[in-house]
């Protein structure tokens, strides 16, 4: 993923970053082996809140991946979700 255009890692796996709410642009992408896949979405983050973004294979035939944003304090409650 990238923060403000700077790539943090290309290996995937568990990654963490702390940023201030409303001050940064975060991009998440996945390499499906034949093509780089990405999707834009926005989140109105609360100051001081912690969020978790999970990227996993999608169940849908029209998408390869699914990104889910949850509040770290309530990991079962999905805040936003996109497929790509």
């Amino acid at each position: 993923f990238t923060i403000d255009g700077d790539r943090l890692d290309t290996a995937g796996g568990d990654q963490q970053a702390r940023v201030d709410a409303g001050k940064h642009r975060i991009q998440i992408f996945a390499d499906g082996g034949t093509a780089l896949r990405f999707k834009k979405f926005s989140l109105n983050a609360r100051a001081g809140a912690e969020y978790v973004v999970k990227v996993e294979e999608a169940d849908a035939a029209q998408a390869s991946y699914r990104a889910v944003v949850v509040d770290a304090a309530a990991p079962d409650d999905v805040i936003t979700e996109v497929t790509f």
Side-chain angles (χ1 to χ4, degrees), residues 53-66:
V53 180
K54 301 175 188 178
V55 179
E56 56 197 18
E57 287 188 50
D59 293 332
Q62 68 273 15
S64 297
Y65 296 96
R66 174 179 177 243

Side-chain angles (χ1 to χ4, degrees), residues 62-82:
Q62 68 273 15
S64 297
Y65 296 96
R66 174 179 177 243
V68 177
V69 179
V70 298
D71 188 320
D76 293 331
D77 296 335
V78 174
I79 296 170
T80 190
E81 170 183 345
V82 294

Side-chain angles (χ1 to χ4, degrees), residues 6-78:
D6 294 326
R7 186 174 287 192
L8 298 185
D9 194 1
T10 58
D14 292 337
Q15 303 297 323
Q16 295 184 12
R18 292 191 181 271
V19 295
D20 293 328
K23 296 183 180 179
H24 301 279
R25 182 174 176 217
I26 300 171
Q27 293 179 307
I28 301 165
F29 49 89
D31 184 351
T34 58
L36 190 63
R37 310 230 192 262
F38 59 93
K39 180 85 172 199
K40 293 183 180 181
F41 66 93
S42 63
L43 172 69
N44 292 322
R46 293 184 330 266
E50 290 190 28
Y51 300 94
V52 175
V53 180
K54 301 175 188 178
V55 179
E56 56 197 18
E57 287 188 50
D59 293 332
Q62 68 273 15
S64 297
Y65 296 96
R66 174 179 177 243
V68 177
V69 179
V70 298
D71 188 320
D76 293 331
D77 296 335
V78 174

